[in-house]
Every structure is written in C-alpha cells, then in structure tokens.
Amino acid sequence: MSILIAFLSLIIEFALGYPAWLFGAIGHPVTWFGSLISFLDRRLNRATDPDDQRRSSGVVALLIIVLVPAAVAFAVETALWQVLPAGLLITALLATSLLSQKSLAEHVEAVADALDTGGLAIGRAAVSRIVGRDPEKLDRAGVARAAIESLAENFSDGIVAPVFWIGVGGLAGGVAYKAANTADSMIGHRTPRHEAFGWAAARFDDLINLPASRLTALLIVLAAFLVKGADAKGAWRAVRRDAKKHRSPNAGWPEAAMAGALGLALAGPRSYGGVAVDDAFMGEGGRREAESTDIRRALKLYEVADFLLIGLFGIISAIVIVA
C-alpha cells in the first residue's frame, strides 16, 4: 500500500499544500528535524575533537536523525492501520507534509512577479527565500537563473525524492528521507565546523537522491515534448552532456534537463556566503540572459512534469491494486 499512500499524498498536497495556519500552530516536520539536528550538532560536534572522532560522531548523529523519526512514523502508521478504518487516507494526509508541490510553485512564481512589478531589489529579496547563494551579487538575469535552478533542484529534492521513498517505505520511508535531506542542508556543508561532522550526512544524501534526480530529469524531458516552445531534444542532449559535470552528483540532472529544455545556460560560477564556487554550466552554449518570462516557462515545464509524476504513481498504484 506504500505506492497508494504516495499517490494519494501527491494528489492531496497538490490541492491543499501545507496550510499556513497549521504551520503557525504546530510548525512543520522540517522544523522538528531541524531542532533535533541542531541539538546533536551542539552536543556531539566538539571543535576540540580530532577529525576522525568528529566524523564518527557525525555517523552516530545521522543514525539518530534518520532512525528516530522513522521509528515514530512507522509506529504512527501501524497504529492508524490497526485502529482506524480510514488509516490509509490519514497516513496519506500525514505524508503530504513531506512534499512541496504547491509551495515550490508559489515561491518561484513570486520571484517572477517581483521582477515584473518591483524590480531587481524586490527580485533579490524574493529569490533569497529559496536559494542559498548571495542575492546581492545577482543581476536581473542572475535572479531569474537562480529561481529556475532552484525550481529544478527542489522538484527533485522536495517532491520526486520524498514521494519515491514514500512509495518504497510508506510514511516511515518518506520521513527517513526528509530527515536525512534536512541534515544535509544543515550540516552537510564543507565548512571548518561541518567538514568532518557532516561528512556522513552529505554522502548519505547523495546516495538517497540518486534515483529521484534521474527520474526528475526524465520527467522534465518528457514534459518538454508536451510544452509548446520547449526543446525536448535539447533537454536530453544537455542531460547526457552536462549532468555529470555538476559538482553535485544529483543536482546536475534536473538542472541540465531544465536548461536544455529552455535553451538556457544554468549553474556555472556562483557565490555562497562570500565563497566563490566555480561550477560547470548546465545547458552549455545556451543564453545566460534569463528573464521573468523564462521563470514562467520553467514553471509550465514543472507543472506538466509534476502531472506526469502523479500519473506515473497513479498507474503503478492501479497495477498493484489489480495484481
């Protein structure tokens, strides 16, 4: 039934998202995971320890971060199935908190709206909510490219990957993925504090995102066949040529597909926290002068690719039920 839970959670979250009133009342699973991660970082990541010890402590922290929430989720799912007739639907409703279809589109569209109505300064403020790079260093085209890159990468990390692991392991599988992904975003950076302690979190996140990143690229390529003006062949060429050049083993796949489909050159040299990152271009040879219209074209591709994802899980669910 894990596949059916994944399918239902996609439909419910697409329609409802994560209500703001609920976030205000109880927070969000990511904030809960973040509190646990921050606690373990303070207690286990001691600057006086040698790197080998900090790396071992990071492994212990990752096990706690992944296994404790997953065990709680498994217990909740098991109890729902045994006690309540509507256990399947309630489990799917809980799983929607691990997805971000609605909020991702809203945040990226807000960047396009800001560029159109408020200019560069407002565009920088809007894009700073969804990217980690230095917004003050971005020109108008840089803001647009950053929004599109974030859309492509977060489609993989925030939607395809969690629903994939929900499909594999139910609510517990999705929770384990989201906890690990949150750990990577908080302690998986190559900084003096987290180089050793966050090593396990970063490597594990790379591993668990492998299948979703490839599936996301394929969905974007297929969506490009269906969206007027998009270049499906260009998307496929960019994936084959550029995806493995990215410094991340996963981010390059959806970014290259999006770049090729739109005829843009994404990624490339960027700045994070004042540190320059010399990354390869995705969609090499494409234009760099992106605009708000390109963000909206990317959103259309995302919308169609997301429908394809929902359809894929619907088909698989039907096959499982019939079988």
Side-chain angles (χ1 to χ4, degrees):
M1 290 293 102
S2 293
I3 288 290
L4 186 54
I5 292 170
F7 173 57
L8 291 174
S9 68
L10 278 169
I11 294 176
I12 297 170
E13 200 278 331
F14 178 84
L16 302 178
Y18 193 79
W21 64 264
L22 185 59
F23 180 84
I26 64 172
H28 187 275
V30 170
T31 63
W32 307 338
F33 302 150
S35 297
L36 174 61
I37 294 162
S38 294
F39 171 78
L40 293 171
D41 188 22
R42 292 193 303 271
R43 295 298 298 270
L44 300 180
N45 188 14
R46 293 181 289 268
T48 54
D49 287 342
D51 283 352
D52 286 349
Q53 178 60 46
R54 295 175 83 176
R55 185 171 292 193
S56 298
S57 297
V59 172
V60 172
L62 179 64
L63 289 172
I64 296 171
I65 291 164
V66 172
L67 295 180
V68 170
V72 172
F74 180 78
V76 169
E77 183 175 354
T78 301
L80 286 172
W81 280 79
Q82 290 180 349
V83 177
L84 298 174
L88 173 66
L89 185 59
I90 296 175
T91 302
L93 188 62
L94 293 174
T96 64
S97 65
L98 307 173
L99 307 177
S100 58
Q101 296 166 103
K102 193 176 181 66
S103 63
L104 176 58
E106 289 173 348
H107 280 90
V108 174
E109 187 174 20
V111 179
D113 292 342
L115 288 175
D116 286 341
T117 61
L120 179 57
I122 305 301
R124 284 172 173 167
V127 83
S128 69
R129 300 185 183 100
I130 58 173
V131 300
R133 70 195 66 178
D134 301 328
E136 68 275 4
K137 296 182 180 294
L138 299 175
D139 58 11
R140 186 179 178 90
V143 169
R145 288 195 305 272
I148 295 168
E149 291 161 15
S150 181
L151 175 64
E153 186 174 354
N154 282 291
F155 179 33
S156 180
D157 291 358
I159 301 166
V160 180
V163 82
F164 174 87
W165 289 109
I166 293 169
V168 171
L171 184 63
V175 164
Y177 168 79
K178 203 67 178 180
N181 186 244
T182 305
D184 176 63
S185 68
M186 292 181 64
I187 62 174
H189 306 293
R190 302 190 69 175
T191 60
R193 177 167 179 79
H194 293 123
E195 176 80 30
F197 183 75
W199 173 85
R203 298 292 77 75
F204 187 64
D205 186 71
D206 288 343
L207 178 64
I208 59 178
N209 275 296
L210 280 171
S213 63
R214 278 65 175 172
L215 175 57
T216 304
L218 179 59
L219 290 169
I220 293 172
V221 171
L222 293 176
F225 278 106
L226 303 174
V227 174
K228 185 178 180 180
D231 185 355
K233 292 182 180 179
W236 181 246
R237 282 195 303 270
V239 169
R240 296 187 61 187
R241 183 189 63 225
D242 301 332
K244 293 182 180 179
K245 298 177 184 177
H246 201 286
R247 65 191 175 96
S248 164
N250 296 309
W253 292 78
E255 285 187 21
M258 187 68 78
L262 298 175
L264 295 173
L266 300 177
R270 288 163 288 180
S271 176
Y272 294 86
V275 178
V277 175
D278 187 17
D279 205 355
F281 285 105
M282 302 293 105
E284 188 175 356
R287 58 187 171 86
R288 293 285 286 170
E289 295 304 310
E291 258 294 350
S292 61
T293 53
D294 293 301
I295 300 177
R296 299 188 193 283
R297 291 170 61 218
L299 281 165
K300 183 63 178 177
L301 274 170
Y302 159 72
E303 178 182 306
V304 174
D306 193 40
F307 283 148
L308 292 174
L309 177 68
I310 295 171
L312 173 63
F313 273 84
I315 292 170
I316 298 173
S317 297
I319 292 172
V320 169
I321 291 172
V322 171

